[in-house]
Amino acid sequence: MKGIVIKSTGSWYLVRAENGSIYRARLRGKFKLKGMKMSNPLAVGDRVEFNLEEVDEETAVIHKIEDRENYIIRQSTHKSGYSHIIAANLDQALLIATLVSPRTSFGFIDRFLVTAEAYDIPVTLVYNKSDMYDQEMEDYQRQISYLYSQAGYNSLSVSAFDKTGIDEIEKLIQGKTTLFSGHSGVGKSSLINQLVPDLALKTSEISAFSDKGVHTTTFAEMFEVEAGTYIIDTPGIKELGVIDIPKNELSHFFPEMRELLNQCRFNNCTHFNEPGCAVVDAVRHNQIALTRYQSYLSIMQGDDNRK
């Protein structure tokens, strides 16, 4: 039988078969012995082949993982040197960000965009909690949206609280498989509840002490909005370590830098302190945003991205 993984709890998975039936499944042991440096060999969105267990036809054993079209990946926070697949086989991703309570850093946003760019996954930036903005914050959000539009990324300003922009998200996700990602507390589950009220996903208040989100989504899970339209909800990400991108290729995944690469004096330019660097020159002339360039340097140096 063939199906798609719609929920991952680590050792057990929920698989929706082609006939619509949902089975509790486990991965055949040998997949974990292939030497893959993955903390999760199987992710939500993976297409698989499986057999029902003879003793219990309500459970199944997955024996084949089909080749992935793409995926979003990060460094594992639990196993050093390992990577973790957030979700696979995506049509697009919505990165849910907030400017207040909690604040999403440029470093985090740019790391997500680089990872998605590496696997050809379109991203729209969705700024939630617009109901909390004053005029100054509205102006600031417009500036940030313009900054990212210059790099080729669209932005939406929405509010799960008063439903501002929900109709725009509905149009955006129509007929696609869409990953919702972001820090804990940015309102991923609240937005999904507005899109699919019957789900009634658990949400939580922001910690007054730390102004950080509290994890309410424990495991990644795919939900069907309507025929052909799927949402993948994921646990909040504290850090997003970029992985599997060689440093000499990193600038290829900043679209505004990629356009200038053949204009640098040296083919192996790192865009740091080499003479005749077109990227550095573009930063100096405000053609590339300073925050984007700082994120590039931060990733190159392996710095933390939470600030």
Side-chain angles (χ1 to χ4, degrees), residues 4-25:
I4 188 167
V5 177
I6 62 171
K7 187 173 184 177
S8 167
T9 63
S11 55
W12 283 90
Y13 306 89
L14 288 184
V15 177
R16 187 183 64 243
E18 290 178 322
N19 63 7
S21 299
I22 295 177
Y23 298 97
R24 190 167 178 259

Side-chain angles (χ1 to χ4, degrees), residues 114-305:
V114 163
T115 300
E117 195 77 31
Y119 296 97
D120 295 321
I121 300 171
V123 179
T124 297
L125 295 170
V126 178
Y127 294 96
N128 191 21
K129 307 187 183 182
S130 63
D131 57 283
M132 300 177 68
Y133 292 175
D134 56 19
Q135 186 60 54
E136 183 179 356
M137 192 63 71
E138 286 182 10
D139 293 341
Y140 180 55
Q141 199 257 292
R142 278 193 288 269
Q143 291 172 21
I144 295 173
S145 295
Y146 176 75
L147 182 157
Y148 281 103
S149 71
Q150 295 298 98
Y153 297 103
N154 293 324
S155 301
L156 294 177
S157 179
V158 307
S159 169
F161 178 75
D162 63 16
K163 300 185 181 180
T164 300
I166 297 301
D167 54 342
E168 294 181 74
I169 297 180
E170 288 176 340
K171 293 175 185 176
L172 194 60
I173 66 174
Q174 190 74 34
K176 297 179 179 179
T177 297
T178 304
L179 172 70
F180 278 56
S181 192
H183 285 316
S184 295
V186 295
K188 297 185 302 297
S189 296
S190 296
L191 286 171
I192 292 173
N193 281 339
Q194 292 289 0
L195 295 165
V196 196
D198 291 344
L199 292 178
L201 298 181
K202 184 180 178 183
T203 60
S204 182
E205 296 295 327
I206 301 298
S207 166
F209 173 73
S210 63
D211 199 36
K212 301 295 184 183
V214 179
H215 287 282
T216 51
T217 301
T218 309
F219 303 107
E221 186 167 5
M222 177 186 290
F223 302 105
E224 185 175 29
V225 179
E226 57 186 52
T229 300
Y230 302 94
I231 287 172
I232 298 177
D233 188 21
T234 56
I237 302 172
K238 186 177 182 181
E239 299 177 61
L240 185 69
V242 173
I243 197 165
D244 288 347
I245 298 179
K247 289 186 176 182
N248 64 341
E249 296 179 13
L250 178 61
S251 57
H252 299 185
F253 305 113
F254 284 78
E256 66 273 47
M257 294 186 189
R258 186 168 59 226
E259 295 178 0
L260 301 173
L261 296 186
N262 62 354
Q263 299 179 32
C264 292
R265 182 182 301 176
F266 302 107
N267 291 332
N268 60 346
C269 186
T270 64
H271 319 300
F272 179 53
N273 57 6
E274 295 92 338
C277 174
V279 170
V280 171
D281 189 58
V283 174
R284 287 173 177 159
H285 290 86
N286 297 317
Q287 295 166 344
I288 291 177
L290 179 60
T291 57
R292 291 277 286 168
Y293 180 64
Q294 288 171 333
S295 290
Y296 167 78
L297 295 179
S298 178
I299 297 170
M300 286 280 282
Q301 295 162 2
D303 292 340
D304 195 329
N305 65 84

